[in-house]
């Protein structure tokens, strides 16, 4: 059975919306898109290359899928560690509105995430990876379907935007499995799902 791995960029105040460009995600009037771009460096590139070296299939939300499908097929070098995987490996899109996707090896899954994603994990040998796709990721966390979280926290406060773990999120514990800080100050941390939080009290 494969592992469901989520890789997400967030600001210091937990916003995941629109990291890659001004027009990437303007929902609710969000006008700070592209906030992750100034922090791109070789450390980030090496980490992402390592993540993509372990992928067997992708699970994406509709918005992220559309962004990827508009750009990655144009990168035709099969040796490219990101494009080579995105263009050839199976891609599953959680959407109720996408019909006849043009990007090769794309399958649309319906609204029963618990059933369909569990089935995807069972027939995936390695990692089933979610990149971006914040709304989808939040739903997967709520269903306890995420095995590993790679959380990249950027040294910027946005003050607005959609948050990865908003009020009402399911209480969840994680076990830290590794991390680093890039030369531009991005905290790259990896966690495995560890069930529900435990609680205690400090003795004075």
């Amino acid at each position: 059975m494969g592992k469901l791995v989520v890789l997400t960029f967030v600001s210091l105040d937990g916003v995941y919306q629109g990291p890659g460009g001004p027009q990437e995600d303007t929902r609710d009037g969000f006008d700070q898109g592209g906030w992750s771009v100034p922090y791109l460096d070789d450390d980030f590139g090496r980490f992402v290359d390592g993540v993509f070296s372990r992928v067997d299939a992708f699970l994406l939300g509709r918005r992220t899928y559309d962004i990827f499908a508009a750009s990655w097929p144009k990168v035709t070098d099969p040796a490219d560690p990101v494009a080579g995987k995105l263009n050839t490996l199976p891609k599953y899109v959680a959407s109720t509105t996408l019909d006849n996707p043009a990007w090769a090896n794309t399958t649309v899954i319906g609204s029963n995430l618990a059933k369909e994603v569990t089935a995807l994990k069972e027939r995936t040998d390695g990692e089933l990876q979610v990149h971006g796709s914040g709304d989808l990721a939040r739903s997967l966390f709520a269903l306890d379907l995420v095995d590993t979280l790679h959380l990249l926290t950027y040294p910027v406060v946005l003050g607005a935007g959609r948050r990865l773990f908003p009020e009402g999120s399911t209480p969840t514990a994680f076990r830290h499995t590794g991390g680093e800080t890039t030369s531009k100050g991005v905290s790259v941390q990896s966690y495995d799902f560890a069930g529900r939080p435990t609680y205690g009290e400090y003795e004075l």
Side-chain angles (χ1 to χ4, degrees):
M1 185 171 180
K3 291 176 58 179
L4 181 62
V5 177
V6 170
L7 188 152
T8 302
F9 303 168
V10 296
S11 64
L12 284 175
D13 51 340
V15 174
Y16 71 82
Q17 189 172 0
Q23 302 305 316
E24 187 175 70
D25 186 352
T26 59
R27 287 175 295 174
D28 308 317
F30 186 69
D31 61 359
Q32 299 185 74
W35 47 268
S36 76
V37 177
Y39 302 95
L40 187 66
D41 62 6
D42 290 343
D43 294 333
F44 170 83
R46 281 191 294 271
F47 174 77
V48 169
D49 289 350
V51 169
F52 274 83
S53 73
R54 299 187 295 273
V55 66
D56 276 359
F58 298 96
L59 173 62
L60 304 170
R62 172 66 187 273
R63 185 177 300 272
T64 298
Y65 175 81
D66 285 345
I67 292 168
F68 282 11
S71 56
W72 286 111
K74 299 174 184 176
V75 183
T76 57
D77 179 2
D80 185 291
V82 175
K85 296 295 180 69
L86 281 169
N87 288 325
T88 59
L89 290 178
K91 292 169 285 291
Y92 301 95
V93 186
S95 175
T96 57
T97 58
L98 179 62
D99 296 315
N100 301 316
W103 199 5
N105 301 315
T106 297
T107 301
V108 179
I109 64 173
S111 57
N112 191 338
L113 279 181
K115 178 180 178 181
E116 300 207 41
V117 173
T118 298
L120 287 179
K121 291 174 67 173
E122 288 176 348
R123 64 175 182 260
T124 300
D125 292 330
E127 292 188 0
L128 175 63
Q129 293 184 357
V130 179
H131 293 265
S133 307
D135 291 350
L136 171 61
R138 292 196 307 188
S139 297
L140 297 170
F141 281 118
L143 293 167
D144 289 342
L145 288 170
V146 177
D147 298 296
T148 297
L149 169 64
H150 299 306
L151 188 67
L152 280 65
T153 304
Y154 286 72
V156 58
V157 171
L158 300 173
R162 298 190 174 214
R163 286 164 172 77
L164 182 62
F165 296 111
E167 190 77 16
S169 295
T170 301
T172 306
F174 294 90
R175 178 175 60 86
H176 186 244
T177 58
E180 61 179 295
T181 302
T182 72
S183 68
K184 294 287 186 72
V186 178
S187 175
V188 181
Q189 304 298 327
S190 298
Y191 305 92
D192 284 350
F193 176 75
R196 297 288 166 253
T198 57
Y199 306 92
E201 184 175 1
Y202 292 111
E203 295 184 5
L204 298 178

